[in-house]
Amino acid sequence: MESTYKTRLSSEQLNAIIDQHFSASIQDYKEMVDGWANQAYLITLSDAQRVVLKIAPSASTNLMRCEQDLMLAEVEALRLIAELQDVPVPRVLAYDDSLTIAPARYFVMEYMSGTPYNQVKDQYAAEEQANIEHELGRYNRRINEIKGEKFGYFSEKKQHYSSWKEAFMNLMDDILIDGQEVGIEFTIGYAELRRLIAEKSEVLDDVKEPVLVSWDLWDGNVLVDAGRITAIIDFERSLWADPLMEHYFSHFNYTPGFVEGYGHSITTPSELRRRSLYDLYFDLVLRIECAYRQYDNQEHVNRTIHNLEEGIERFRLS
């Protein structure tokens, strides 16, 4: 989907990048159109090796507060996950934040085969879907076993916290400020929504250990082939957080296959209340990012509006 965030590169710039990092030339390249924010290119090198170049929005782009240093977050998360050696993620081959060749940060990673799960999910029988989601649960659990020192964003520009409650309330405050600044209105006033969030936030103190959370591990970021996961991609939203923030614990998914593979389900009152906070946060992000990215798909925008209205009502009753 098109958005105003994407930084496009000329063939000359792409060739300069490949020459800089690989001492090779480009045999062929094409834009990868599935991404919603960062621009990506699938590049075939002169030695037939295929790589993916991903470039961030330019420094002049009006980003949401939760989108600072997304490329740094993705590169660091991929490197940490690669150390596990049993989760299929692309290797980072090069990273450049100098802005000398390109107008924004970029990195190059190995190409991973497979088709996004959301594009072929309906082609699999229920049992096959359950097997894929069981596998995803196992991989997601491994990712969440990576421990951090503080809670919060990867970004060095952001404060890091010893308390998950402090960190999450900062995340929530960021997205609400973003919404107010672009004039997004809800079925409830901002002051009342903030009051409800604060009222329900005490359960966040139950989270004691920061772990690596992908947060954006939805079906579009899971590559599959012949009923197996071939790769997990797009870690730009990664943060140090409560593992129950992961997407497959959300109201959009939370399937039996995933839960069995992950080895944990949401059962306690604290977990249920925490997940209601995370669902609200996600619904807010989906809605508010539309205004920043200026998506060209009005049908998607309308879905986020309706989803948020339902989400606020669910949160009221949680």
Side-chain angles (χ1 to χ4, degrees):
M1 182 160 58
E2 283 302 313
S3 85
T4 57
Y5 277 18
K6 293 188 176 182
T7 303
R8 286 182 166 81
L9 297 173
S10 66
S11 58
E12 291 78 14
Q13 288 171 313
L14 290 170
N15 271 296
I17 289 169
I18 295 304
D19 180 64
Q20 167 94 358
H21 297 289
F22 299 92
S23 298
S25 59
I26 294 177
Q27 182 184 125
D28 187 32
Y29 75 89
K30 66 176 182 179
E31 291 187 17
M32 303 178 76
V33 298
D34 289 332
W36 290 30
N38 291 323
Q39 177 68 18
Y41 295 91
L42 173 58
I43 301 173
T44 303
L45 305 184
S46 50
D47 62 1
Q49 178 186 6
R50 291 199 289 179
V51 299
V52 173
L53 184 150
K54 197 169 183 180
I55 183 164
S58 69
S60 62
T61 305
N62 183 28
L63 299 172
M64 295 192 297
R65 286 164 173 79
C66 64
E67 296 177 319
Q68 305 296 324
D69 287 343
L70 290 186
M71 190 137 288
L72 173 66
E74 180 158 22
V75 168
E76 290 196 10
L78 282 172
R79 286 171 171 165
L80 287 169
I81 297 166
E83 292 176 6
L84 296 175
Q85 299 186 337
D86 59 358
V87 179
V89 296
R91 289 180 298 118
V92 176
L93 305 175
Y95 172 62
D96 187 352
D97 60 3
S98 68
L99 308 188
T100 55
I101 303 177
R105 292 176 173 177
Y106 66 84
F107 76 99
V108 182
M109 59 185 162
E110 68 175 323
Y111 169 75
M112 304 292 280
S113 64
T115 304
Y117 185 38
N118 66 314
Q119 295 180 13
V120 295
K121 190 172 187 174
D122 292 343
Q123 299 174 21
Y124 289 106
E127 183 178 352
E128 293 172 311
Q129 290 182 22
N131 289 337
I132 291 170
E133 290 155 18
H134 185 281
E135 190 177 22
L136 178 61
R138 288 193 293 106
Y139 287 142
N140 206 159
R141 181 62 177 258
R142 285 290 285 142
I143 291 168
N144 296 155
E145 289 172 359
I146 298 173
K147 313 299 184 187
E149 297 180 357
K150 298 278 187 178
F151 292 102
Y153 299 107
F154 270 79
S155 174
E156 298 165 353
K157 301 173 186 174
K158 293 284 190 177
Q159 185 175 349
H160 301 97
Y161 300 89
S162 299
S163 154
W164 172 233
K165 181 178 178 180
E166 284 185 282
F168 181 77
M169 294 302 279
N170 176 257
L171 297 180
M172 189 65 86
D173 194 45
D174 276 355
I175 195 62
L176 291 175
I177 293 172
D178 285 335
Q180 285 181 296
E181 287 186 350
V182 291
I184 298 289
E185 295 184 358
F186 318 131
T187 52
I188 182 175
Y190 278 87
E192 176 63 11
L193 187 56
R194 282 190 168 92
R195 186 193 67 77
L196 281 173
I197 292 166
E199 185 180 277
K200 297 171 183 284
S201 67
E202 74 284 348
V203 292
L204 298 171
D205 284 326
D206 293 339
V207 181
K208 305 299 184 183
E209 185 174 47
V211 304
L212 178 59
V213 170
S214 165
W215 190 69
D216 198 22
L217 221 175
W218 70 292
D219 293 343
N221 289 335
V222 180
L223 304 186
V224 298
D225 182 54
R228 297 298 303 272
I229 294 175
T230 58
I232 297 172
I233 59 172
D234 285 359
F235 287 87
E236 61 201 26
R237 303 277 199 171
S238 297
L239 68 162
W240 299 106
D242 177 359
L244 292 188
M245 275 194 81
E246 293 288 23
H247 181 77
Y248 252 81
F249 284 118
S250 76
H251 66 87
F252 287 105
N253 292 91
Y254 195 54
T255 63
F258 175 83
V259 169
E260 185 178 340
Y262 191 92
H264 184 84
S265 59
I266 299 174
T267 55
T268 70
S270 172
E271 291 171 338
L272 290 165
R273 290 171 187 153
R274 276 151 45 204
R275 189 57 243 186
S276 72
L277 284 160
Y278 308 153
D279 277 335
L280 175 65
Y281 176 70
F282 188 41
D283 293 338
L284 285 164
V285 170
L286 288 177
R287 171 68 189 100
I288 291 167
E289 73 179 11
C290 293
Y292 282 81
R293 299 181 180 185
Q294 298 178 33
Y295 288 141
D296 62 350
N297 186 332
Q298 190 57 45
E299 183 180 349
H300 171 77
V301 175
N302 291 339
R303 280 199 302 269
T304 68
I305 294 170
H306 180 67
N307 176 67
L308 180 56
E309 289 173 352
E310 290 186 340
I312 289 173
E313 188 57 27
R314 276 196 305 270
F315 185 67
R316 284 180 188 268
L317 299 175
S318 65

